[in-house]
């Protein structure tokens, strides 16, 4: 029996892995065959490899062939021996009794072969010697044959290892240079780039030339860099042999992408650590797909039993906005009037924007278009559009928009919309996701509506729960007793009990809101309001709180009201926020309409005092030269003295030092504030225990402060501090604008005064120079033209030298030459640039002078009609057309010659003509045409 019977398929696989079959002759193997023949003194020697159906001679001596059949092969049997097979005389060996290689004339008689065995034990061939004569081998020859077999196997393995290395290097080069989906980056020990494949250019945007020698930290976002993620990855690769991560990275253009990555150490041939290799693959799409599916699953589960689908959906969308790929989301309900939208929830929207869009008509947001057409609206490249309906969305920075209707029984009841200021359009996957969310909401709204309708017909406890608030209550109209939840009692500050008289809660309502509360009579007849907001003084601490109460009545079959149930919600913070926002809007409107800075300050102080419920609000200007605070505006409440007047800066030295930093000074209790010990007596003298002061800084110096005082210690909230900051910002901006306008007005009047002095000097010089002239007409014409120029300057001065009203210019110019009833003016409001205002004034003066001398204004019945219009011309441009028409004067004759005045008229408004001047017998007619864009230029 053979000593070794391996699995033929496994043995063949081991042979093929070495890649030796069918390779050309090689000197190393030829030498082994030659040495074997010489040492064993045989005419033939072979280095061969045995496959399942053939044997291949890698090297041979004395045979002259490279391959022989396996069925007659000696080696086919030799490989199953332990390590060596010797056949001294094949004719006497039963294994070869019918072998033609033996039985033929001159056939083989002697064979000795040493097995070639792989490292894992598979026999794959032999180093063998053959002869046609019987013989034996001595120990030296057998040992040599075994050594030669070992050498042959070493050559085979070295050759295979070299081939594998070459294949790996070629593959590495191919992967490194050709992979466009993978970013492969090699780094030195300091984390600087030494290699950057095409995939890295494709994924990250930088070229290899740009990144070579640069730190790879640039591909990490700022947060990851701050916490040292790049260093942690290198440490993991260095210590554990692998640093894997999945995170958001940054491209050259600043956009983000999600990548799965791995960092491994690079080592040289000696095993020394010389750097790192990092491989990244952009997985943004796959991540978003997976997370979108997860969000959809979460959404469907959450909305399944949601009583308020909008409120349930908001935190889900808020947490997944980045994954889904949007910046803003709006969820609107269609109001009952069918003309307005009510904002229910929003994501990524500021408080001010929410307040502005809380209740709007259809034509304000893009969502209105969705409702009007009952179809989705998808818009791309909003930043490039000039469509008027899209301008509000465009002004917020949105580039892409997608809105979808929410329908209940085919009726549009709401809209959900998504916007992005990063991408210019949403891809199909995002739009499909948005559509699915809208469908989920439609189903959830329909379920919620059905459940609400069902609860209206169920028991009182179920109805109270359906009211859905923080505190629930049930009031027995007959007994006047309330059964309230623990939260209901806590809101009112009343100890929890099984039943409490309704009067105990009614008495807490403030005097000003008593008409809003329910009482016994109105509850009995069902006229007490069911949905109200009012204020109370909480029983436990006396604090003022805003409450929202929603209630319903239950009547018996005879229609008599038996009970009242509902919910109470504390809306103090929301109400305060709304009041502050209203105060800020009122401040903006107030300061815009104020005529003096003092009036602006008074408006701001009044709003602060009323909104914050403080003791005193005011504005203190800083007079550095006098070393004083000057209280120039103040509003006070009860029981505190007025501060009107001046106070030494030294009395508030530490306060001043704090304000000079530019940050608001927030004082909660002057008695316990160690940093203001030196100012404590001054605060006591003016009855101030708590305050917020917002400094006004101009050119690095403290110039004033808006303050609010409270006579008792007070814990100012962040919202109150922010409100003061916003009021101060608006007030200081308004004051700065008012001061700038006042200074500009003074400067303009001074310039006008000097210009008129110059024009008067010109008139005087002209009069003196031409006093001896026999023809006074030229002098009078010149002086009138100078006067017309002065009048035009007055028009421009009134408009701050920016634009002159065409109506005002015509009225002021002609008013000096004719009675108002003889000049008829009509046309749309148009502003002219300074240059065209002066030109029109001179042109009209020439026409009017001629009318006074020779035309319609030279007779008592004559009239001048000046009208103007705007004509549309090609490609959206417009022309200004002015008509001068005289009627009721003497018969007109065309002048025999053209003077300076006629030439001035023919130049037109733009200095390039465009004037049709006709001398009709009934009166002069002049049509003056010029491009609107030219006459409105500065």
């Amino acid at each position: 029996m053979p000593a070794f019977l391996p699995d033929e398929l496994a043995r063949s696989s081991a042979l093929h892995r070495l890649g030796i079959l069918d390779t050309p002759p090689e000197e190393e193997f030829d030498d082994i065959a030659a040495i074997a023949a010489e040492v064993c003194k045989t005419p033939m020697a072979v280095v061969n490899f045995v496959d399942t159906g053939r044997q291949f001679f890698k090297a041979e001596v004395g045979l002259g062939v490279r391959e022989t059949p396996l069925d007659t092969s000696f080696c086919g049997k030799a490989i199953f021996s332990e390590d060596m097979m010797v056949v001294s005389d094949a004719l006497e060996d039963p294994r070869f009794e019918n072998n033609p290689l033996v039985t033929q004339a001159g056939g083989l008689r002697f064979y000795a072969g040493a097995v070639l065995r792989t490292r894992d034990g598979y026999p794959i061939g032999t180093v063998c010697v053959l002869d046609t004569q019987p013989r034996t081998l001595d120990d030296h020859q057998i040992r040599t044959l075994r050594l030669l077999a070992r050498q042959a196997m070493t050559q085979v393995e070295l050759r295979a290892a070299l081939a594998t290395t070459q294949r790996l290097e070629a593959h590495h080069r191919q992967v490194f240079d050709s992979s466009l989906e993978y970013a492969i980056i090699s780094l030195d020990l300091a984390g600087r780039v030494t290699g950057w494949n095409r995939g890295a250019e494709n994924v990250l945007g930088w070229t290899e030339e740009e990144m070579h020698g640069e730190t790879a930290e640039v591909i990490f976002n700022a947060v990851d860099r701050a916490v040292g993620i790049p260093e942690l990855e290198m440490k993991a690769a260095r210590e554990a042999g692998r640093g894997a991560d999945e995170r958001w990275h940054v491209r050259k253009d600043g956009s983000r992408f999600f990548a799965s990555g791995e960092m491994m150490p690079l080592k040289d041939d000696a095993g020394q650590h010389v750097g790192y290799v990092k491989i990244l693959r952009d997985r943004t799409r796959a991540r978003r797909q997976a997370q979108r599916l997860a969000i959809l699953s979460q959404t469907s589960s959450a909305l399944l039993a949601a009583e308020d689908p909008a409120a349930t959906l908001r935190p889900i969308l808020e947490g997944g906005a980045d994954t889904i790929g949007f910046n803003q989301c709006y969820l609107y309900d269609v109001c009952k009037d069918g003309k307005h939208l009510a904002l229910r929830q929003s994501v990524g929207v500021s408080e001010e924007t929410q307040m502005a869009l809380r209740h709007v008509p259809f034509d304000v947001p893009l969502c209105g278009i969705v409702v009007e057409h009952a179809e989705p609206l998808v818009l791309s490249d909003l930043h490039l559009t000039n469509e008027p309906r899209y301008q509000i969305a465009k002004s917020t920075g949105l580039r892409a928009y997608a809105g979808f209707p929410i329908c209940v029984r085919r009726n549009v009841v709401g809209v959900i919309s998504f916007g992005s200021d990063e991408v210019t359009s949403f891809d199909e996957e995002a739009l499909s996701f948005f559509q699915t969310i809208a469908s989920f909401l439609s189903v959830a709204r329909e379920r919620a509506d059905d459940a609400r309708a069902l609860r209206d017909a169920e028991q009182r406890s179920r109805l109270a729960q359906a009211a859905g608030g923080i505190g629930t209550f049930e009031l027995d109209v007959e007994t006047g007793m309330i059964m309230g939840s623990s939260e209901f009692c806590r809101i009112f500050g009343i100890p929890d009990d099984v039943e409490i008289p309704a009067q105990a809660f009614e008495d807490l309502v403030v005097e000003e809101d008593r008409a809003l509360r329910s009482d016994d009579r109105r509850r009995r007849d069902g006229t007490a309001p069911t949905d109200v907001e009012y204020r109370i003084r909480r029983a436990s601490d006396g604090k003022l709180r805003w409450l929202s109460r929603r209630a319903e009545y239950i009547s018996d079959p005879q229609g008599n009201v038996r009970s009242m149930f509902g919910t109470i919600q504390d809306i103090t913070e929301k109400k305060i926020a709304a009041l502050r926002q209203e105060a800020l809007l009122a401040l903006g409107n107030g300061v815009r309409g104020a005529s003096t800075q003092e009036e602006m300050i008074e408006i701001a102080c009044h709003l602060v005092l009323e909104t914050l419920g403080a003791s005193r609000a005011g504005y203190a200007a800083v007079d550095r030269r006098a070393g004083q605070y000057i209280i120039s505006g103040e509003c006070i409440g009860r029981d505190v003295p007025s501060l009107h007047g001046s106070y030494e800066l030294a009395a508030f030295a530490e306060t001043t030092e704090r304000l000079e930093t530019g940050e608001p000074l927030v004082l909660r209790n002057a008695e316990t504030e160690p940093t203001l010990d030196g100012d404590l007596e001054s605060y006591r003298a003016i009855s101030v225990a708590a305050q917020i002061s917002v400094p006004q800084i101009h050119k690095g110096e403290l110039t004033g402060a808006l303050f609010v005082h409270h006579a008792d210690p007070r814990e100012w909230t962040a919202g109150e501090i922010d409100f003061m900051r916003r009021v101060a910002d608006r007030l200081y901006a308004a004051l700065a604008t008012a001061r700038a306008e006042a200074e500009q007005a003074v400067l303009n009047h001074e310039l006008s005064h000097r210009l008129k002095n110059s024009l008067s000097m010109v008139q005087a010089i002209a009069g003196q120079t031409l006093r001896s002239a026999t023809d006074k007409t030229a002098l009078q014409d010149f002086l009138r033209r100078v006067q017309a120029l002065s009048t035009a300057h007055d028009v421009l001065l009134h408009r701050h030298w920016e634009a002159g009203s065409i109506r005002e210019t015509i009225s002021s110019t002609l008013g000096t030459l004719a009675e108002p009833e003889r000049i008829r003016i009509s046309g749309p409001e148009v502003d002219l640039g300074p240059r065209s205002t002066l030109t029109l004034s001179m042109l009209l003066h020439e026409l009017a002078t001629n009318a006074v001398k020779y035309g319609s204004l030279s007779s008592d019945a004559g009239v001048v009609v000046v009208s103007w219009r705007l004509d549309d011309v090609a490609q959206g441009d417009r022309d200004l057309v002015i008509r001068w028409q005289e009627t009721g004067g003497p018969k007109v004759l065309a002048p025999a010659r053209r003077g300076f005045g006629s030439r001035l008229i023919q130049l037109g408004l733009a200095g390039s003509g465009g004037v049709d001047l006709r001398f009709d017998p009934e009166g002069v007619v002049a049509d003056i045409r010029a491009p609107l864009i030219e006459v409105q230029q500065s």
Side-chain angles (χ1 to χ4, degrees):
M1 290 293 290
F4 185 68
L5 291 174
D7 183 318
E8 272 296 279
L9 291 178
R11 190 186 69 78
S12 178
S13 297
L15 173 61
H16 281 271
R17 281 197 298 270
L18 294 171
I20 195 68
L21 294 175
D22 301 318
T23 57
E26 296 180 52
E27 184 177 354
E28 293 84 357
F29 294 96
D30 291 343
D31 290 345
I32 291 173
I35 293 171
E38 183 176 344
V39 169
C40 296
K41 302 184 184 307
T42 60
M44 293 171 281
V46 178
V47 178
N48 73 346
F49 296 94
V50 180
D51 202 357
T52 55
R54 66 178 181 131
Q55 63 176 349
F56 166 71
F57 297 165
K58 177 63 178 174
E60 55 84 21
V61 173
L63 287 177
V65 295
R66 296 294 304 281
E67 184 174 330
T68 61
L70 186 61
D71 55 355
T72 59
S73 167
F74 281 70
C75 294
K77 294 179 174 59
I79 62 172
F80 296 115
S81 62
E82 184 67 30
D83 68 341
M84 188 82 175
M85 185 178 85
V86 178
V87 180
S88 298
D89 188 347
L91 285 176
E92 298 179 356
D93 194 321
R95 291 176 294 179
F96 305 103
E97 60 183 354
N98 294 319
N99 191 322
L101 295 177
V102 175
T103 59
Q104 65 184 351
L108 297 174
R109 301 288 296 277
F110 171 76
Y111 173 89
V115 179
L116 300 177
R117 198 178 298 279
T118 63
R119 293 181 182 274
D120 45 4
Y122 290 105
I124 60 171
T126 65
V127 174
C128 61
V129 291
L130 305 99
D131 199 345
T132 57
Q133 301 296 324
R135 61 170 37 281
T136 60
L137 298 179
D138 59 27
D139 291 343
H140 169 69
Q141 291 171 321
I142 291 175
R143 185 168 62 253
T144 301
L145 203 57
R146 284 173 173 161
L147 290 175
L148 290 174
R150 190 181 306 164
Q151 181 63 30
M153 198 64 216
T154 300
Q155 290 295 327
V156 171
E157 291 174 343
L158 286 174
R159 186 185 183 284
L162 178 61
T164 300
T165 300
Q166 291 173 340
R167 285 197 305 273
L168 288 175
E169 288 180 352
H171 179 68
H172 171 74
R173 285 194 299 271
Q174 182 181 11
V175 170
F176 193 82
D177 294 334
S178 303
S179 175
L180 297 180
E181 294 183 0
Y182 291 87
I184 304 175
I185 307 166
S186 59
L187 311 170
D188 61 16
L189 291 174
R192 293 184 295 270
V193 174
T194 58
W196 188 271
N197 77 330
R198 293 180 184 176
E201 293 185 8
N202 182 53
V203 172
L204 294 163
W206 288 279
T207 64
E208 184 174 11
E209 291 75 15
E210 289 175 316
M211 287 303 299
H212 194 274
E214 299 293 331
T215 175
E217 288 188 356
V218 68
I219 71 174
F220 290 86
N221 60 57
V223 175
D224 286 349
R225 291 199 302 269
V227 298
I229 293 299
E231 293 79 5
L232 292 175
E233 280 193 4
M234 290 191 291
K235 181 180 179 182
R238 193 168 56 245
E239 296 179 354
R242 179 174 179 266
D245 75 336
E246 287 191 345
R247 65 184 65 255
W248 289 96
H249 288 273
V250 181
R251 294 188 176 93
K252 180 181 179 180
D253 62 7
S255 62
R256 301 191 311 147
F257 69 100
F258 189 83
S260 59
E262 184 169 0
M263 179 174 282
M264 296 164 288
L266 282 178
K267 296 184 179 181
D268 60 15
D269 293 339
Q272 296 295 315
H273 183 203
V274 295
Y276 306 90
V277 61
K278 182 175 180 65
I279 302 175
L280 284 175
R281 186 179 185 187
D282 186 346
R283 303 291 295 169
T284 307
R285 183 174 181 181
R287 177 179 173 83
R288 282 186 166 162
Q289 285 177 335
Q291 292 190 332
R292 283 170 179 169
L293 288 175
I295 290 173
L296 287 177
S297 176
Q298 180 186 6
T299 301
S300 62
S301 299
L303 292 180
L304 187 62
E307 295 184 7
D308 187 345
T312 301
L313 181 62
R314 183 180 184 277
I316 299 175
L317 293 179
E318 197 168 45
D322 183 71
T323 296
I324 301 168
F326 66 89
N327 303 111
Q328 297 180 18
C329 174
Y330 298 87
L331 186 55
Y332 279 101
D333 279 350
V334 177
C335 296
K336 291 182 179 180
D337 63 5
K339 299 178 181 179
H340 290 80
L341 293 169
L343 183 64
R344 289 291 312 281
Q345 298 290 342
S346 62
V347 174
V349 182
S350 69
E351 183 179 340
E352 290 185 359
T353 301
Q354 291 181 48
M355 295 299 297
L357 298 177
R358 191 164 298 283
H359 186 268
V360 291
F362 286 172
D363 59 357
V364 172
L366 293 176
C367 295
I369 302 177
V370 179
V371 177
E372 291 169 348
H373 296 279
E375 293 179 352
L377 174 65
V378 178
L379 302 174
S380 302
D381 296 307
L382 271 173
H383 60 296
L384 302 179
T385 183
N386 291 318
E387 174 64 37
R389 187 73 182 269
Y390 304 162
Q391 293 309 303
I392 293 179
K394 179 180 177 181
S395 67
T396 65
L398 287 184
R399 291 168 170 251
Y401 171 88
F404 300 87
I406 300 169
C407 300
V408 173
R409 298 179 183 87
R410 299 184 180 181
N411 295 319
V412 178
V413 298
V415 179
I416 185 169
S417 66
F418 303 86
S420 175
D421 59 12
E422 292 184 357
V423 300
T424 58
S425 62
F426 291 120
D427 58 32
E428 289 300 322
E429 290 183 0
L431 293 175
S432 176
F433 178 88
F434 298 153
Q435 178 70 69
T436 304
I437 291 292
S439 299
F440 282 172
L441 273 175
S442 296
V443 173
R445 281 289 300 269
E446 187 165 342
R447 289 174 62 91
D449 288 351
D450 289 345
R452 191 175 300 109
L454 179 62
R455 286 194 297 268
D456 287 343
E458 291 179 349
Q459 298 177 351
R460 288 174 287 183
S461 60
R462 177 82 180 220
L463 290 170
Q465 182 182 2
I470 295 178
T472 61
F473 69 91
E474 186 173 347
L475 190 152
D476 188 312
V477 172
E478 184 66 29
T479 64
M481 301 297 288
I482 285 181
M483 291 182 293
S485 66
S486 297
E487 189 66 18
F488 175 84
C489 295
R490 188 199 64 79
I491 289 173
F492 282 93
I494 291 178
D496 192 3
D497 204 346
V498 177
E499 286 189 330
I500 306 172
Q503 189 69 39
F505 299 96
E506 296 167 9
D507 291 344
L508 298 177
V509 179
V510 299
E511 185 66 33
E512 296 83 352
D513 295 346
R514 291 284 171 93
L516 299 174
R517 65 183 182 176
S518 67
D519 55 33
D520 183 65
R521 179 186 61 79
R522 291 194 295 171
R523 286 194 291 268
R524 288 180 182 276
D525 59 23
T527 59
T530 58
D531 193 350
V532 294
E533 294 178 358
Y534 53 70
R535 294 166 293 173
I536 67 165
R537 290 284 178 187
R538 193 158 54 195
S540 57
D541 55 16
K543 288 187 176 180
L544 185 69
R545 307 300 295 176
W546 276 93
L547 303 185
S548 172
R549 189 202 70 207
R550 299 181 62 186
E552 291 189 19
Y553 296 105
I554 289 183
S555 302
D556 60 18
Q558 289 73 39
N560 301 315
V561 177
R562 293 302 182 192
S563 62
M564 179 182 188
F565 64 90
T567 61
I568 284 286
Q569 184 176 5
D570 189 329
I571 59 169
T572 305
E573 300 307 321
K574 182 172 72 173
K575 199 70 176 181
I576 289 175
L579 292 174
R580 290 174 187 159
Q581 186 63 32
E582 291 174 3
L584 290 173
L585 294 174
L587 174 63
N589 294 331
V591 297
R592 279 194 295 270
S595 56
T596 65
Q597 296 185 39
E598 290 75 14
E599 188 177 348
M600 294 177 184
I601 292 172
E602 183 178 350
I603 291 170
C605 293
H606 176 76
L607 285 172
V608 167
L609 185 71
E610 185 175 291
T611 303
L612 297 185
S615 303
R616 181 192 297 116
Y619 174 79
V622 176
D623 186 340
R624 288 287 182 181
R625 183 171 299 176
Q628 292 180 330
Y629 281 112
I630 300 175
I631 309 300
S632 56
E634 180 188 39
C635 289
I636 59 175
R638 297 178 181 177
D639 303 325
V640 293
S642 171
L643 298 185
H644 190 74
S646 58
Y647 298 83
E648 297 297 322
L649 290 177
F652 296 93
E654 293 172 346
T655 298
T656 303
E657 184 178 352
R658 291 273 294 274
L659 291 175
E660 286 174 339
T661 65
E663 292 298 319
L665 171 62
V666 180
L667 180 61
R668 294 172 172 82
N669 188 350
E671 300 290 339
T672 60
E673 181 57 53
T675 61
L676 298 178
D677 281 345
D679 298 349
L680 180 57
E681 290 303 324
S682 299
Y683 281 125
R684 288 173 177 170
I686 59 176
S687 300
V688 174
Q691 72 160 325
I692 302 174
S693 292
V694 182
Q696 182 182 21
I697 305 295
H698 180 64
K699 295 181 178 180
E701 290 190 358
L702 177 66
T703 58
L706 180 70
F707 60 82
V708 60
H709 290 164
H710 206 273
D712 300 315
R714 176 167 173 169
E715 285 293 328
W716 302 103
T717 67
E720 291 170 333
I721 298 170
D722 182 64
F723 173 75
M724 273 296 292
R725 190 194 295 268
R726 293 189 182 196
V727 171
D729 288 345
R730 287 163 171 74
L731 173 62
Y732 297 161
L735 292 176
T737 300
R739 283 194 295 268
E741 290 176 350
E743 293 169 358
Q744 185 64 48
V746 172
L747 178 60
N748 286 344
H749 282 291
E750 178 62 22
L751 290 174
S752 175
H753 177 69
R754 296 191 179 193
L755 178 61
K756 287 187 176 181
N757 286 344
S758 298
L759 292 176
S760 297
M761 183 64 71
V762 170
Q763 287 178 314
I765 292 172
Q768 290 296 320
T769 303
L770 301 176
R771 67 180 182 276
S772 59
T774 56
D775 184 2
K776 301 298 183 179
T777 302
L779 174 60
Q780 292 171 356
D781 288 345
F782 175 75
L783 294 178
R784 281 196 297 269
R785 286 166 183 158
V786 171
Q787 180 62 38
L789 189 62
S790 176
T791 301
H793 275 271
D794 283 339
V795 173
L796 290 172
L797 177 63
H798 179 66
R799 290 295 189 99
H800 303 292
W801 206 261
E802 292 180 354
S805 164
I806 187 172
R807 185 182 303 277
E808 192 174 342
T809 301
I810 294 173
S811 298
S812 59
T813 301
L814 300 183
T816 61
L817 297 173
E819 296 83 357
E821 61 271 12
R822 303 187 65 186
I823 305 296
R824 299 173 184 172
I825 300 172
S826 65
E829 290 297 329
V830 178
D831 283 341
L832 305 177
R835 183 180 63 186
S836 296
T837 299
L838 295 174
T839 302
L840 178 61
S841 179
M842 299 295 293
L843 190 151
L844 292 173
H845 181 269
E846 293 302 325
L847 289 169
T849 300
N850 289 334
V852 170
K853 289 182 179 180
Y854 317 112
S856 62
L857 298 182
S858 65
S859 65
D860 294 338
V863 174
V864 172
V865 177
V866 183
S867 62
W868 63 93
R869 68 180 187 274
L870 295 174
D871 284 355
D872 292 329
V873 294
Q875 298 180 346
D877 294 335
R878 308 180 84 184
D879 281 353
L880 172 64
V881 182
I882 303 174
R883 165 163 286 196
W884 171 283
Q885 187 169 10
E886 300 179 20
T887 59
K891 185 176 181 180
V892 174
L893 297 174
R897 66 182 183 86
R898 293 176 60 197
F900 173 77
S902 296
R903 290 194 297 274
L904 178 63
I905 293 170
Q906 289 294 340
L907 287 175
L909 280 178
S912 57
V915 177
D916 179 16
L917 181 62
R918 303 192 305 276
F919 294 93
D920 295 342
E922 295 79 11
V924 173
V925 178
D927 288 321
I928 306 163
R929 178 183 292 270
L932 180 62
I933 190 173
E934 291 187 19
V935 301
Q936 289 187 329
Q937 289 177 347
S938 301

